[in-house]
Amino acid sequence: MREYATQMEAAKQGIITPEMKTVAEKEFTDPEIIRERVALGQIAIPANINHKSLCAEGIGKGLRTKINVNLGISGDANNYEAEMDKVRMALRFGAEAIMDLSNYGKTNTFRQQLIELSPAMIGTVPMYDAIGYLEKDLLDITAQDFLKVVRAHAEEGVDFMTIHAGINRRAVEAFKRDKRKMNIVSRGGSLLFAWMEMTGQENPFYEYYDAVLDILREYDVTISLGDALRPGCLDDSTDAGQIAELIELGALAQRAWDRDVQVMIEGPGHMAMDEIAANMRLEKRLCHEAPFYVLGPLVTDIFPGYDHITSAIGGAIAAANGADFLCYVTPAEHLRLPDAADVKEGIIASRIAAHAADIAKGVPHARDLDNQMAEARHRVDWEAMFQIAVDPDKARSYFESTPPSDRHTCSMCGKMCAVRTTNLILEGKKVEFCTER
């Protein structure tokens, strides 16, 4: 039996855990730096004691930006094998986390298979699962019922859980007072808001927050404090509801750390580009440097079918200015449950955003592959380029779809390739185009 209950408790005691060593190795840094920042709450290592297949990742200060892939069934699309295909896709393309957002029927069989298979972190939103798990209508669910679902997910091996504890009566007052175009767009937040309004009671995750923390501490589950009042359109960003909830989340983060429970803070969904940097700094200030997990932000509202791009633009700006964890968005966002092709597009877009931000932040070795790609392009070495590419199959298929007559060029420029021309001159050779007369 280990000497500590959670990664944070170990860090505070000066213990470097196996998970901290794994993270340090992946991040090319000293394990002691990881330990110090876990103790301060600046880095989280979501690692449930029951997730045996996990290969630990760190989220937070000074580390690579991580990405999360959402999947899971709904009442209208409940093919678990299709969801498992998405899991394999996410792992293939390097997602560090997978969230099972299933909200229909008994979901624990799929979740247990996912936890058994996945070396990536697994997250859930217990609020989504409550109705199916308990087989009760929303109004009939009690505060203690909600805690049962949290415990069930923790026992199964979930590494982090989105808990919407910040939408308490004070935050709801601010939301109601400051009229919004889109009201509440968080699924879990809307369900809790409805439950609070129908029952007249306080948010159970806020009222019984200490009991929630006790469960999470027992299994070393990281709490991801959900942003129930995140903006769902540009016009609602940085309003009273969003900021009021963020203030509550800062206080809740400190309470979790006092009980050695690791914390992430969830952030805005839709936001104009000029507001993103300030929001990242505001979260770090109000939430005491806790790791920040953002959905997007989507920087415009009028491109359904292309929201993986609007999200990647916002995600790159967010991560370059302090966000630590990006939730992917697919082309199907706002339209339907994503299929496997949508999942791939969403993952690649998020990886572009995360990688671009890591280069901007100077994360150690972030540029290594870019430098290798430049060297391969300098040599016009197509095989090396394909191997370095994040999606080598797509790169190869594009190149081969219109093959050049000369493998030292591509069909875009042919023999007028700038790289070829310059290489020939620097090698003391002539540049000739009209070799046949």
Side-chain angles (χ1 to χ4, degrees):
M1 186 172 179
R2 65 189 197 180
E3 308 166 57
Y4 50 87
T6 69
Q7 297 291 322
M8 176 166 261
E9 183 183 30
K12 289 177 180 178
Q13 293 176 6
I15 299 169
I16 294 175
T17 67
E19 292 79 10
M20 293 176 200
K21 291 178 182 176
T22 297
V23 170
E25 185 176 342
K26 289 182 177 183
E27 302 285 346
F28 304 97
T29 193
D30 187 335
E32 178 60 20
I33 293 174
I34 303 298
R35 185 203 64 77
E36 287 177 359
R37 292 177 182 171
V38 171
L40 293 170
Q42 296 171 351
I43 288 176
I45 304 176
N48 188 310
I49 60 173
N50 289 337
H51 188 177
K52 305 303 183 184
S53 63
L54 178 71
C55 185
E57 295 281 359
I59 300 168
K61 186 174 181 178
L63 307 184
R64 288 180 300 106
T65 306
K66 307 305 187 299
I67 69 166
N68 171 69
V69 169
N70 287 341
L71 45 81
I73 65 156
S74 69
D76 292 316
N78 51 31
N79 183 338
Y80 277 118
E81 188 50 44
E83 295 312 296
M84 198 54 75
D85 287 342
K86 297 176 191 177
V87 170
R88 288 185 277 268
M89 176 86 69
L91 296 175
R92 176 187 169 197
F93 283 102
E96 290 88 4
I98 297 171
M99 289 196 79
D100 174 22
L101 306 187
S102 297
N103 60 16
Y104 174 78
K106 295 296 185 183
T107 61
N108 58 319
T109 300
F110 172 70
R111 191 160 47 250
Q112 287 166 0
Q113 292 173 347
L114 176 59
I115 291 164
E116 185 177 339
L117 166 75
S118 176
M121 300 174 280
I122 302 302
T124 59
V125 187
M127 187 68 210
Y128 293 179
D129 197 28
I131 293 171
Y133 178 84
L134 298 166
E135 296 183 331
K136 291 183 177 181
D137 213 339
L138 185 61
L139 188 57
D140 299 324
I141 298 175
T142 67
Q144 294 307 310
D145 285 334
F146 287 124
L147 297 186
K148 287 178 188 175
V149 182
V150 172
R151 177 168 289 280
H153 284 212
E155 289 174 349
E156 288 167 6
V158 169
D159 301 298
F160 66 97
M161 293 185 206
T162 295
I163 304 289
H164 298 91
I167 182 171
N168 57 18
R169 288 185 179 279
R170 285 190 297 272
V172 167
E173 266 182 42
F175 156 69
K176 286 182 172 179
R177 188 170 56 244
D178 194 30
K179 304 297 183 185
R180 280 183 161 187
K181 277 189 167 60
M182 284 292 295
N183 290 323
I184 297 175
V185 299
S186 159
R187 191 192 316 170
S190 68
L191 291 170
L192 275 169
F193 173 72
W195 186 89
M196 292 165 68
E197 293 292 298
M198 289 190 298
T199 64
Q201 297 179 42
E202 179 58 280
N203 177 351
F205 294 116
Y206 179 77
E207 185 173 2
Y208 297 98
Y209 188 62
D210 288 342
V212 171
L213 295 178
D214 287 342
I215 296 169
L216 302 184
R217 186 180 192 280
E218 185 178 349
Y219 297 91
D220 198 1
V221 179
T222 297
I223 188 168
S224 189
L225 287 166
D227 53 337
L229 296 177
R230 69 173 180 266
C233 65
L234 297 186
D235 204 59
D236 292 342
S237 64
T238 323
D239 68 353
Q242 180 197 332
I243 302 306
E245 184 180 34
L246 189 62
I247 292 168
E248 298 294 337
L249 298 184
L252 292 169
Q254 189 60 63
R255 286 175 59 185
W257 289 331
D258 290 344
R259 299 170 83 94
D260 299 328
V261 174
Q262 298 182 100
V263 175
M264 298 187 292
I265 306 292
E266 297 190 11
H270 293 239
M271 184 167 286
M273 288 170 60
D274 61 323
E275 294 181 52
I276 294 173
N279 268 262
M280 301 306 106
R281 290 192 291 272
L282 190 62
E283 182 276 342
K284 292 293 183 177
R285 179 67 180 269
L286 293 177
C287 298
H288 323 294
E289 297 291 317
F292 202 16
Y293 175 23
V294 298
L295 177 67
L298 279 69
V299 295
T300 174
D301 295 331
I302 63 169
F303 287 90
Y306 299 91
D307 277 331
H308 59 310
I309 299 173
T310 64
S311 170
I313 294 168
I317 297 170
N321 285 279
D324 307 288
F325 192 21
L326 303 181
C327 186
Y328 91 149
V329 171
T330 78
E333 185 79 5
H334 303 112
L335 300 171
R336 63 171 168 81
L337 192 79
D339 62 19
D342 297 324
V343 168
K344 178 181 175 182
E345 291 295 316
I347 293 169
I348 295 296
S350 291
R351 286 208 58 189
I352 292 168
H355 183 63
D358 289 346
I359 291 170
K361 290 190 288 191
V363 170
H365 298 277
R367 286 178 182 258
D368 286 2
L369 286 176
D370 298 82
N371 290 337
Q372 291 175 35
M373 181 64 85
E375 290 164 3
R377 284 175 172 159
H378 171 75
R379 299 191 308 270
V380 198
D381 184 342
W382 293 106
E383 286 305 315
M385 291 184 230
F386 299 149
Q387 289 173 20
I388 295 163
V390 170
D391 186 353
D393 293 340
K394 184 169 186 177
R396 185 185 295 277
S397 69
Y398 268 63
F399 178 77
E400 298 290 358
S401 65
T402 312
S405 57
D406 181 350
R407 292 283 295 192
H408 294 291
T409 66
C410 75
S411 59
M412 176 73 176
C413 299
K415 289 187 177 181
M416 289 188 183
C417 170
V419 175
R420 176 182 180 273
T421 297
T422 307
N423 286 349
L424 286 171
I425 292 298
L426 291 175
E427 291 166 8
K429 298 176 182 177
K430 291 181 180 179
V431 177
E432 296 179 318
F433 300 113
C434 302
T435 54
E436 294 181 12
R437 297 190 180 273

